[in-house]
Amino acid sequence: GDDNKPAAKDDEIDLESPFAAVLSPSLRQKSRKALDDFRAATSTGRAVPPSTTATLHKHCLGAYATLSHTYVATHRRLLKLEKRCEQDRLLQGNLSDAREKGLK
């Protein structure tokens, strides 16, 4: 069957395009239901003033954005490094110790 098809090559991956996570419609629907259930089960009162909640929310979103960006950038660097090391293996037959340590 189609199970024996080779995996996509690294050179087919566009490492320069921005990454955007997209939820599938079924996952989006499950998420909305979970949020609706949570909102129905929790109190609407706040223990802290709205300004504190807004500030905390803003900081959490900023931290999430930074971590997400760092994760994607690191993953792209890893793909490039793995591709370079594979090319070294093909050309020289082995990896330099420094590059091998960089992969770990």
Side-chain angles (χ1 to χ4, degrees):
D2 291 335
D3 294 338
N4 294 332
K5 284 186 177 178
K9 303 244 186 248
D10 284 335
D11 57 3
E12 295 175 14
I13 298 171
D14 184 6
L15 299 174
E16 301 304 321
S17 65
F19 176 79
V22 179
L23 294 178
S24 67
S26 64
L27 187 55
R28 207 174 326 167
Q29 185 179 14
K30 288 178 185 178
S31 300
R32 283 190 186 125
K33 184 182 177 333
L35 283 172
D36 291 341
D37 291 347
F38 176 77
R39 288 182 182 127
T42 58
S43 168
T44 57
R46 303 272 183 176
V48 295
S51 62
T52 304
T53 302
T55 301
L56 181 59
H57 185 256
K58 181 176 153 188
H59 288 303
C60 288
L61 288 177
Y64 176 79
T66 300
L67 289 172
S68 298
H69 177 73
T70 302
Y71 174 77
V72 171
T74 301
H75 182 67
R76 284 185 176 154
R77 281 195 307 267
L78 177 62
L79 288 175
K80 287 179 183 179
L81 182 60
E82 286 174 340
K83 184 177 179 180
R84 199 175 328 130
C85 288
E86 183 62 29
Q87 289 172 345
D88 283 354
R89 278 191 198 103
L90 293 173
L91 293 173
Q92 299 176 359
N94 59 7
L95 278 176
S96 67
D97 290 339
R99 286 212 175 141
E100 195 167 336
K101 286 181 183 177
L103 277 176
K104 292 181 183 178

